[in-house]
Amino acid sequence: MSIKNQYNMNNVQFKPEGQLNEINVQFSHKAQLGRPVNPNSARQKRLATAPGKKTGRPVNPSSVRQQRLAELEAKRIANGGTIKRGRPVNATSERQLRLADLAARRAAGTLKRGRPAGSGKKANTAKKVEVVVVGTV
């Protein structure tokens, strides 16, 4: 029997629900995207003995990024849960005054919407020029 067929047979025979329950590892049908979990592997046994322990790279609390995140969290707490981002708005600028005026007129219902209607049909005011060609025929 070839290795490929043997791998496929192992894949079909492997039923993780019962084997993983014996060692207190949760099984989910949604999480079965990659290769099957081997419940007898050293990693699965290690994970089963310490279920609350986080895996992955440990966090260095004295790193520049962690200090920056701590400062941001302190700012967030001091400002009531939000951090202002970006350029602050100048309330006395021409644009902000215009936007405030538009908002006030919109709230009052006096803001005209759309483009101006115009005065109706436009008269043809272009001068007509007649061109006369003088020459021999």
Side-chain angles (χ1 to χ4, degrees), residues 4 9 12 33 39 41 47 51 83 94 103 117:
K4 187 174 183 181
M9 284 182 60
V12 172
L33 295 176
S41 69
L47 291 174
I83 295 178
E94 185 177 329

Side-chain angles (χ1 to χ4, degrees), residues 66-80:
Q66 291 301 318
Q67 290 174 356
R68 182 171 44 87
L69 290 176
E71 289 172 9
L72 286 174
E73 188 62 32
K75 277 185 184 179
R76 184 175 288 120
I77 291 170
N79 289 336

Side-chain angles (χ1 to χ4, degrees), residues 79 92 98 134:
N79 289 336
T92 60
R98 181 172 44 86
V134 179

Side-chain angles (χ1 to χ4, degrees), residues 11-22:
N11 221 1
V12 172
Q13 291 174 349
F14 179 66
K15 302 287 183 208
E17 294 90 351
Q19 293 175 343
L20 290 177
N21 282 339
E22 294 171 6

